[in-house]
Amino acid sequence: MSSRFVPAVVISLIIAALAGLFVGAYCWAMADPVPHRIPVAVTGESAKGERFVGALEAALRTSLVLHPYADYDKALAAVDAQREFAILQRHPAGVEVDVASAAGASVARVLSQSAPAVGRALGIPVQVRDVKPLPATDPQGLALFYIALGSTILGFVGAIQLGVHALALRPAERIAATAGYSVLGGLSICAMTDWVLGVARLPFAQSWGICALTMFTAGMIFTAFHTFLGRWALLPTWLLLVILGNPSSGGAVAWPLLPPLLGFLGRYLPPGASVSAQRNAIYFPHDQHVEPYVVLAAWCLAGTSVFLAWRARHPGSPANAPATAPGAGSA
């Protein structure tokens, strides 16, 4: 085979493999989400309640991780803190199931559909209500997923474009340019989501900061890979952030409904951290967690540190610049 055809063949094979992995990852995570272990707060005791729990677990083919609470207020506080995804109140006459769509729309939907059906089969009255509803403009709760998806992909696409069109930037200038388009991109994403479309009412400054941090992190991850892999840096970036990171983010399908491995990994990857940070900021402003910011900051620091430590290997380094031909530029 002529050498000029080898790169085309290699790229074709890689694209074919990535296409299958891309579709496979999203189908595995999202096509038919199945509950695995759903944390549920429980109050009260009753024989009907015990029968209902057993039948609901059988109907869902899952295990409800039941955590007893002394009263409803404490159970609701646990939902606000996102330690629990629902509240099950067991009364002598029946059962009340409180779901929280803002914590996980897919989990709330599964419980809302299954609980009444189980109650009818057992002859037990079941009342379902949503204590943390989503806005009517985003009833499926997908806005957070798309915000994180856009921030992630545009974050490393910006770094790719810097590598193509601004390769001569010095290390500090490259980092500053990445931060610059991240701040502007985060503003654009939030303005479109809130001001233009009104899909979600954002705590604007905080959401803007999360988007900008997500974009910057994705950009520096690509830059770190670019330092060692050059033109092939897109491959590990795409695998890490898109094929693995986005399906496991908990944005489209809540973590209790994801395959356990994805549900675990998603918390520690930038897209999942971005979704969690936005969810907390928008729907649980009084019960926010530091973990998502730590995850984003750790990936950002790692990518930036790798680039700075081995910047001489980066394709934009003066040491890797093409030598100037003798007499070039002379009159």
Side-chain angles (χ1 to χ4, degrees):
M1 182 184 295
S2 175
S3 61
R4 73 177 186 274
F5 296 122
V6 171
V9 171
V10 172
I11 289 172
S12 298
L13 293 174
I14 290 174
I15 292 299
L18 287 179
L21 286 173
F22 180 83
V23 173
Y26 279 76
C27 288
W28 181 38
M30 302 179 186
D32 185 22
V34 176
H36 295 280
R37 293 173 63 84
I38 302 178
V40 175
V42 180
T43 63
E45 294 184 7
S46 72
K48 289 184 177 179
E50 295 292 338
R51 288 172 53 211
F52 174 81
V53 169
L56 182 60
E57 288 182 321
L60 294 175
R61 295 173 296 160
T62 188
S63 173
L64 301 179
V65 184
L66 304 178
H67 300 128
Y69 288 83
D71 55 53
Y72 180 80
D73 289 340
K74 292 181 179 178
L76 185 59
V79 171
D80 287 337
Q82 298 182 71
R83 295 193 303 270
E84 313 290 352
F85 279 81
I87 302 172
L88 177 61
Q89 299 182 75
R90 299 179 293 194
H91 303 299
V95 175
E96 292 183 29
V97 179
D98 289 355
V99 298
S101 292
S106 50
V107 173
R109 187 161 52 248
V110 166
L111 292 176
S112 297
Q113 292 171 352
S114 300
V118 170
R120 286 192 296 270
L122 297 176
I124 297 175
V126 175
Q127 180 181 350
V128 178
R129 62 177 177 174
D130 195 338
V131 295
K132 284 286 181 179
L134 289 163
T137 51
D138 183 30
Q140 303 302 317
L142 292 176
L144 302 185
F145 176 70
Y146 292 127
I147 289 172
L149 179 65
S151 300
T152 301
I153 292 180
L154 271 299
F156 68 74
V157 166
I160 292 172
Q161 292 304 302
L162 288 180
V164 172
H165 301 291
L167 195 59
L169 288 174
R170 296 172 181 173
E173 295 168 343
R174 184 172 300 278
I175 293 172
T178 305
Y181 75 66
S182 297
V183 170
L184 293 175
L187 174 61
S188 178
I189 289 171
C190 292
M192 180 60 68
T193 303
D194 191 340
W195 299 343
V196 178
L197 299 178
V199 173
R201 295 304 173 192
L202 307 178
F204 201 88
Q206 187 174 359
S207 289
W208 179 8
I210 296 167
C211 286
L213 179 58
T214 303
M215 291 186 71
F216 183 72
T217 299
M220 293 314 301
I221 287 173
F222 172 84
T223 303
F225 282 130
H226 197 204
T227 301
F228 288 97
L229 301 177
R231 69 185 66 184
W232 297 106
L234 178 59
L235 182 58
T237 305
W238 188 266
L239 287 170
L240 178 69
L241 297 180
V242 178
I243 290 181
L244 181 60
N246 280 314
S248 65
S249 67
V253 175
W255 285 326
L257 272 65
L258 289 172
L261 178 61
L262 283 184
F264 173 77
L265 291 177
R267 296 174 55 187
Y268 304 107
L269 294 175
S274 183
V275 167
S276 293
Q278 292 285 7
R279 177 182 291 119
N280 293 342
I282 297 169
Y283 299 119
F284 301 92
H286 303 299
D287 291 279
Q288 299 195 50
H289 304 282
V290 70
E291 180 183 284
Y293 300 96
V294 172
V295 170
L296 285 171
W299 280 100
C300 180
L301 180 61
T304 305
S305 299
V306 167
F307 168 59
L308 289 175
W310 285 278
R311 59 187 178 275
R313 298 187 54 155
H314 191 272
S317 168
N320 295 319
T324 304
S330 60

